[in-house]
Amino acid sequence: EEVAVYRQMRQRVNVDLDRVELAQALKGLARETGTNLIVDARVAKEAQAPVTLQAEDVPLETAVRLLCEAAGVKPVRVGNVLYVTNRTNAADLRADH
């Protein structure tokens, strides 16, 4: 199972977004890649931030990390889910893992 999750997170994606709401951008990537991407309700305001990213042939996890960085939030992998939350909660989840 861990190998499948690793492959899923490392799958290559092309991203061409110009001032798209982070939540919409993540929803599109999740649909396109079959990945579980969840946005923490505590960062709903940040998830509305417009993000811009043009990247070709980058790993999914890298694209998500860059998009989240632009909005001031952090993704953390929990099993086969990329969970987008605030920096403090992300650090706590990483410590628990």
Side-chain angles (χ1 to χ4, degrees):
E1 183 179 317
E2 190 60 32
V3 172
V5 171
Y6 175 81
R7 283 192 182 132
Q8 186 176 39
M9 298 301 163
R10 303 296 301 166
Q11 67 183 300
R12 312 302 273 194
V13 295
N14 296 324
V15 181
D16 186 9
L17 301 169
D18 186 20
R19 299 193 54 73
V20 175
E21 190 176 289
L22 175 64
Q24 281 304 120
L26 294 175
K27 191 180 289 186
L29 278 172
R31 196 175 316 115
E32 179 184 320
T33 61
T35 305
N36 296 311
L37 281 163
I38 298 173
V39 177
D40 186 344
R42 291 173 281 195
V43 296
K45 184 179 176 207
E46 292 89 338
Q48 294 173 357
V51 294
T52 298
L53 178 64
Q54 279 80 37
E56 289 192 28
D57 197 35
V58 297
L60 171 65
E61 200 164 16
T62 300
V64 171
R65 183 164 284 142
L66 290 170
L67 289 168
C68 288
E69 191 64 35
V73 293
K74 287 282 186 198
V76 62
R77 189 157 59 93
V78 181
N80 69 339
V81 175
L82 277 173
Y83 184 61
V84 176
T85 188
N86 60 48
R87 294 175 194 278
T88 304
N89 198 33
D92 290 348
L93 286 167
R94 281 192 190 99
D96 289 348
H97 194 31

